[in-house]
Amino acid sequence: MGRVPISPRRTGVAVAALTALLASACAGQGQAPAPVRPEATPTATTTATTTVAPSATDDPAGRAAALAGTLADEDLVGQVLMPYAYGSSATTVTPGSAAGNQALAGVDTPAEMIAKYRLGGLILVGFSADDPTSGNQSTTNVDNPAQVQKLTAGLRAAAGKLAAGPAPFLVGTDQEYGVVTRITDGVTTLPSALAAGAADDPARTEAAWKAAGTELAAMGVNLDFAPVADVLATRSTVIGSRSFGADPKRAAAQVAGAVQGLQSAGVAASVKHFPGHGLSAADSHQEVPVVGQPRAELDATAFPPFRAGIDAGAMAVMSAHLDVTAVDPGTPATFSRKLLTDVLRGELGFQGVVITDGMNMPPAKRYPPGEAAVKALLAGNDLILMTPNVGQAYDGLLAALRDGTLPRDRLVASVTRVLTMKFRLADRPTPAMSTLDSAPHRAAAAALAAAAVTQLRGKCGVAVSGPVTVTTSDGRDKTRAALTAALTAAGVRVVTKGGTRVHLVGYGDGPKDLAADAAVTVAMDTPYVLEKATSPTLLATYSSSRASMTALAGVLAGKARPTGRSPVPLTGLPATSCTG
């Protein structure tokens, strides 16, 4: 697409003006007294394809407003819902997946869910062993790139039959890289955000995330719930290495780089978790974390990375289930108009799409799905993510629209913003699948990983002596094998017993997982555990990706200098023991 991307700030002006006109035009439409959910069998309303006059489609906001003005109530409601679904195919699923979809939405397949509820998008889900978000991942529908591409094509085929079909269907996923990475096989795996923070090179971050975005686009994913803009002000395990670090200014530069990289590849970025999950160590997948810092600290610590993401043109921001006492005590940000409308839109100037965090998480489930969806929209959200019951959320929104609880102009404004984002993503050429895990993309990941390796104790950049034994905490055989292969390729002899011991620790590991006799201990996640390590040499990669293990091998072999600096403060350890 040759058109220069439009900033969400500028887009908002056109959206607001056009939405006001559309709201008055829509107000006179007939309204049924009770919600009538459309059947799975297509009707004239659900299958009609709207042709927007070229004169009204000179820009994404204009196309969005024109299309929104043609949509029936049911279509408007469907555009603000983005659930998950069971099954690795849009149209053919196992009996177990059919049962899951029946419980979630009263249908058998993802395609039927799109048709019945006229959905605006769908999130692809999955989890891995170290994933701190696994508690709200009820299923997985990402197996490999070819399967993902086929699935997304099927989802788009179903959505193309809807009245909103001219706008590209949203397919999103949490591809953060690091512990939260939905698609792991056959793709280029970047080092974690914390590793990028240690490298402190926004240009490298942008290049790596452009490579990652290109691969997502090739598979049919056009919305990434990333990057994480949370400043790691506490030793949070749920955020941890998902954050770029504890320094707001450095994290802000990294967020901007990641946003620019993703969106230059045609994938919308959604910075998260506003207003800043790193300010609390509690886990919103279990409870409502309380952010008790004063407003001045929010302005100085939590908000800078979000401002940077907005200024970089981020198309979306994800709200969080956080109780921010300095702004709206007792109300999770997801449901707080003060935070989402007054602060995020009014003070920070964001006019793009605001997306809820998973509505199947306990803090959001304090309300029934329909009531929760309405409250979230009234607060300032535009997309309802992962509702625990699609039918109830849909019926609740439709009923609230028709009885006036949800003002029509408020819903039209959200739909217009969603459609604007979709049209900004339209007409981009789809990258070839051959770009996945290609040499240039691996090189971009490798450059970022190499710049991240940090030495926290010991003589800088000295090669390990003699043969090496690689050990890990339990359950990390794959990572040990990756480092063993990388060391061998770097010319270091690796033995199964004896020699210099290199010990790896990762996500969730503590002092009990350290090895007292290790000559070298390496942290592959947050480096806090190294404060208790007694090894004469301490290193951090912040990530267990293939690129990170290759970079580590280069340092251990004495072929590369560890130039990274710890992006979080460590008691008793410097940011780096390498100087000059």
Side-chain angles (χ1 to χ4, degrees), residues 233-252:
T234 61
R235 295 194 175 190
S236 165
T237 56
V238 67
I239 299 301
S241 62
R242 302 166 67 193
S243 166
F244 288 105
D247 184 292
K249 185 176 180 180
R250 289 172 64 181

Side-chain angles (χ1 to χ4, degrees), residues 157-453:
K161 301 174 184 177
L162 302 177
F169 188 68
L170 290 178
V171 179
T173 198
D174 294 280
Q175 194 80 347
E176 297 176 13
Y177 302 96
V179 293
V180 178
T181 307
R182 302 294 179 233
I183 309 167
T184 57
D185 296 334
V187 298
T188 302
T189 53
L190 308 189
S192 68
L194 200 62
D200 195 24
D201 188 337
R204 291 184 191 271
T205 298
E206 181 176 349
W209 280 80
K210 182 175 182 178
T214 300
E215 297 189 8
L216 287 171
M219 292 182 284
V221 176
N222 59 1
L223 171 60
D224 192 3
F225 299 112
V228 171
D230 303 321
V231 173
L232 201 59
T234 61
R235 295 194 175 190
S236 165
T237 56
V238 67
I239 299 301
S241 62
R242 302 166 67 193
S243 166
F244 288 105
D247 184 292
K249 185 176 180 180
R250 289 172 64 181
Q254 293 296 318
V255 168
V259 167
Q260 290 163 348
L262 267 177
Q263 295 193 167
S264 68
V267 174
S270 177
V271 293
K272 63 186 186 186
H273 309 79
F274 185 81
H277 207 311
L279 271 65
S280 172
D283 186 353
S284 60
H285 297 89
Q286 301 173 6
E287 56 186 307
V288 181
V290 175
V291 175
Q293 289 88 342
R295 175 60 198 266
E297 189 169 345
L298 297 179
D299 290 336
T301 302
F303 293 166
F306 289 97
R307 287 185 184 275
I310 293 168
D311 289 342
M315 295 189 199
V317 170
M318 179 180 284
S319 61
H321 307 311
L322 303 173
D323 179 358
V324 184
T325 59
V327 179
D328 198 359
T331 303
T334 313
F335 305 113
S336 171
R337 182 175 175 82
K338 291 180 180 178
L339 279 162
L340 300 187
T341 300
D342 297 345
V343 175
L344 178 58
R345 294 205 188 279
E347 296 181 28
L348 273 63
F350 181 63
Q351 295 300 318
V353 175
V354 180
I355 306 172
T356 71
D357 203 347
M359 298 293 278
N360 61 340
M361 294 163 64
K365 290 171 70 176
R366 60 171 59 184
Y367 305 112
E371 183 180 356
V374 173
K375 286 180 175 291
L377 276 181
L378 291 175
N381 293 281
D382 301 303
L383 269 178
I384 308 301
L385 191 66
M386 299 179 73
T387 175
N389 190 286
V390 183
Q392 292 176 26
Y394 180 93
D395 285 347
L397 287 167
L398 194 56
L401 174 65
R402 289 174 171 170
D403 69 15
T405 304
L406 175 61
R408 179 171 297 277
D409 60 352
R410 175 67 197 87
L411 179 60
V412 171
S414 281
V415 172
T416 305
R417 278 192 284 263
V418 171
L419 293 175
T420 298
M421 180 169 74
K422 291 182 173 189
F423 281 124
R424 289 183 66 199
L425 297 169
D427 306 323
R428 295 289 295 255
T430 302
M433 289 290 282
S434 60
T435 63
L436 272 64
D437 203 24
S438 61
H441 290 181
R442 291 197 302 271
L448 186 59
V453 181

Side-chain angles (χ1 to χ4, degrees), residues 455 457-463 555 560-563 576-580:
Q455 187 150 353
R457 181 186 293 160
K459 193 170 181 180
C460 181
V462 175
V555 170
R561 185 178 178 87
T563 59
T576 175
S577 64
C578 289
T579 57

Side-chain angles (χ1 to χ4, degrees), residues 100-114:
N101 287 325
Q102 282 289 340
L104 178 64
V107 297
D108 286 343
T109 70
E112 290 172 353
M113 192 183 300
I114 291 169

